[in-house]
Amino acid sequence: METSVLDLPAPVAPRLRRPGWRDPRLLAGVAMVAGSVALGSWAVRSAQATVPVYVARTALVPGDVVDPGTLVVRDVQLGSVDLGSYLRADEPLPDEATVLRVVGAGELVPRAALGDAAEGDVRPVAVPLEHAPSRALVVGALVDLWWVPDGTARGAGDASAGATPAAPRPLAVGLTVAEVDTPDGAFSVGGASTVQVLVPSDALADVLGALAGPGSVDVVPVPGSGG
């Protein structure tokens, strides 16, 4: 007996079920959305978070003792700098911390720039200027000291009347300016200024001897180090 198409049962369309709260796919989707929202919120909070750090109020030079009066507090964003390398204002200052290298005005104070006073083997020496100081002569700048002979000085070992005058020579190079004393009117002709430079102990004898002897000592700024 043959069966016609009309005798076959009609197909029944499957009924779609609304997913319930226990459906693992729905739970996984909710978890992914919640995790994305939490991660985004954490990223925004981290980007906006700040930490107080110490900044040099004015230029700090070797030999300066760091205290609250020489510093100001600034807030910096987390991640913008390596905070472990700088002095944080939410931590106590090191006791009797001495500056070992120049820290510019407005610069974050590196921990590596501080140490014990015995580590900085330099002495301040006042060098008078015979002319108006350069704009580059500022605290923290680097300078070279040169001895300039007077008109009567002659080359060593030659006492003849026609001997070549002694040439200027360097006394010490790469010294740090600790202070610039410029009295009122020093920029006019004949004004007197004094520059305090930090001289290493092994160069003190040569520098002091040149300051006390004939001739003069000239302060030559190192280009790009200040001003």
Side-chain angles (χ1 to χ4, degrees):
M1 180 177 179
E2 296 182 357
T3 302
S4 66
V5 177
L6 297 177
D7 296 331
L8 295 175
V12 178
R15 179 175 298 178
L16 298 176
R17 292 184 177 181
R18 179 178 298 175
W21 286 107
R22 295 182 179 180
D23 191 318
R25 292 171 298 178
L26 179 61
L27 295 177
V30 171
M32 291 178 62
V33 172
S36 299
V37 172
L39 181 61
S41 300
W42 173 83
V44 172
R45 289 195 304 270
S46 297
Q48 295 177 342
T50 59
V51 173
V53 296
Y54 282 118
V55 174
R57 185 185 300 273
T58 58
L60 302 176
V61 298
D64 286 348
V65 176
V66 174
D67 58 50
T70 62
L71 306 172
V72 293
V73 178
R74 293 285 185 269
D75 290 328
V76 299
Q77 289 186 341
L78 286 170
S80 60
V81 295
D82 180 10
L83 294 178
S85 300
Y86 298 92
L87 284 185
R88 292 180 51 160
D90 55 356
E91 298 176 353
L93 279 174
D95 294 333
E96 298 298 322
T98 302
V99 178
L100 301 180
R101 68 169 179 82
V102 175
V103 180
E107 181 184 345
L108 298 179
V109 181
R111 295 182 184 274
L114 307 179
D116 188 82
E119 299 178 49
D121 189 21
V122 293
R123 301 293 185 271
V125 175
V127 180
L129 300 180
E130 297 183 351
H131 49 75
S134 164
R135 294 184 194 176
L137 284 179
V138 295
V139 175
L142 299 180
V143 296
D144 299 336
L145 295 185
W146 282 72
W147 174 74
V148 180
D150 59 21
T152 62
R154 299 293 175 181
D158 192 345
S160 62
T164 303
R169 63 179 177 86
L171 297 171
V173 298
L175 308 184
T176 301
V177 175
E179 184 178 340
V180 180
D181 181 13
T182 305
D184 294 339
F187 284 95
S188 61
V189 177
S193 298
T194 301
V195 178
Q196 291 267 358
V197 294
L198 300 177
V199 180
S201 295
D202 56 3
L204 269 177
D206 201 14
V207 172
L208 295 177
L211 287 170
S216 62
V217 175
D218 202 0
V219 181
V220 181
V222 175
S225 67

